[in-house]
Amino acid sequence: MIEEKQLQLDIHTHTLASGHAYGTIRENAQAAAERGLRLLGISDHAPGIPGTCDPIYFRNLEVVPRNLFGVRLLLGSEINILNGGGLSLEERVLSCLDYRIAGVHSLCYDLGTVGRNTEDMLAVIQNPWVDAIVHPDARAVDLDYREIVPAAGEHHTLLELNNSSLTHPTKGERCRDNYREMLSLCRQYQVPVILGSDAHDPSAVGALGGVLELVNEMDFPEALVMNLDHETFLAFLAQKHEKLGLE
Ligand SMILES: [Zn+2]
Ligand SMILES: [Zn+2]
């Protein structure tokens, strides 16, 4: 049984730069400190989502301190998965980020059959630039988890349990069922997951209670939850990035 206070990190949060989120980097960091997080990831939307920032925003992130209010800060991006399995940010910008998460957004993806969606997702899971797949659930896209989970394990790409998906007014219950299926396959194949708040306001930074409840309900192995130790998460990232020649 994992308690909420054991969670040390949240790597899926948004700021004003995303165009439809409402806090600054510092307000998010302060909220993370107040929740007792050790590591905060800020993942503003890449181009493709209306009103988000231009690539130059990501290319200048080096000016931002990586420690605020005692919280280690990672600055990345939530990149759109495109039809055909491509990404909405080019490599020279991807290389400026501390980490990269990717997800399907219907604003820039034409939803297809489960088979076609899964094929595109598999291409992204295999892409060495991608550290985690966010909201792999019915809020975004219907997927075949029997394909997705073993591929994520093989390519060391994390699968997210997205707390915001569970509160979706019409699709929340389906997302919950999706995650139950995904978690039982993750247990079978020993594939780690990461819990993410998808906060669009500082008040939701580190809010992971809904997905934590699912993890506990399934009696999911603690060793496969990446939020319990920020050093373990950083070691995971370092290992992935080594393959890219970034570190
Ligand atoms: Zn998203
Ligand atoms: Zn998001």
Side-chain angles (χ1 to χ4, degrees), residues 10 12-24 27-28 42-45 49-50 52 78 101 105 107 134-135 139 160 162-165 196-207:
D10 181 6
H12 191 168
T13 72
H14 297 271
T15 72
L16 284 165
S18 281
H20 61 281
Y22 308 98
T24 62
E27 285 164 347
N28 275 15
I42 293 188
S43 51
D44 281 308
H45 284 288
I49 302 295
T52 198
E78 178 178 5
I101 59 181
H105 299 100
L107 289 162
V134 292
H135 46 64
R139 173 164 70 116
E160 183 197 47
N162 186 293
N163 203 70
S164 295
S165 289
S197 68
D198 207 354
H200 282 66
D201 183 84
S203 60
V205 168

Side-chain angles (χ1 to χ4, degrees), residues 14-233:
H14 297 271
T15 72
L16 284 165
S18 281
H20 61 281
Y22 308 98
T24 62
I25 289 177
R26 279 158 185 79
E27 285 164 347
N28 275 15
Q30 193 169 3
E34 283 164 11
R35 280 226 191 229
L37 297 185
R38 305 287 300 275
L39 184 149
L40 170 70
I42 293 188
S43 51
D44 281 308
H45 284 288
I49 302 295
T52 198
C53 49
D54 285 317
I56 193 168
Y57 176 87
F58 299 110
R59 289 171 55 198
N60 199 37
L61 284 173
E62 64 185 354
V63 303
V64 182
R66 294 309 199 262
N67 195 309
L68 288 170
F69 307 100
V71 175
R72 171 80 184 259
L73 196 64
L74 294 180
L75 297 169
S77 176
E78 178 178 5
I79 303 143
N80 305 300
I81 294 174
L82 304 175
N83 288 99
L87 297 175
S88 73
L89 210 52
E90 53 183 318
E91 280 191 17
R92 74 185 179 121
V93 185
L94 292 173
S95 67
C96 301
L97 301 168
D98 296 338
Y99 73 106
R100 295 143 282 266
I101 59 181
V104 166
H105 299 100
S106 59
L107 289 162
C108 32
Y109 187 88
D110 294 321
L111 293 167
T113 60
V114 173
R116 176 52 57 87
N117 300 340
T118 301
E119 214 171 284
D120 290 347
M121 187 64 85
L122 288 173
V124 176
I125 286 172
Q126 287 167 40
N127 186 328
W129 287 103
V130 175
D131 300 309
I133 300 291
V134 292
H135 46 64
D137 61 47
R139 173 164 70 116
V141 64
D142 290 316
L143 296 164
D144 185 345
Y145 296 100
R146 291 163 305 177
E147 300 258 5
I148 298 296
V149 170
E154 184 185 345
H155 296 281
H156 303 286
T157 302
L158 296 173
L159 295 172
E160 183 197 47
L161 299 173
N162 186 293
N163 203 70
S164 295
S165 289
L166 302 185
T167 57
H168 189 279
T170 56
K171 295 177 179 167
E173 261 322 298
R174 271 181 62 208
C175 294
R176 209 174 286 272
D177 288 340
N178 289 159
Y179 285 151
R180 286 192 182 104
E181 183 184 350
M182 193 176 97
L183 282 170
S184 81
L185 287 160
C186 284
R187 179 184 4 232
Q188 184 184 335
Y189 290 97
Q190 296 289 296
V191 174
V193 297
I194 187 152
L195 318 186
S197 68
D198 207 354
H200 282 66
D201 183 84
S203 60
V205 168
L208 301 166
V211 278
L212 180 62
E213 206 178 295
L214 266 180
V215 163
N216 282 331
E217 167 201 305
M218 301 276 301
D219 207 10
F220 190 72
E222 286 192 18
L224 296 178
V225 177
M226 287 298 284
N227 301 67
L228 294 176
D229 178 28
H230 70 293
E231 297 290 355
T232 303
F233 174 73

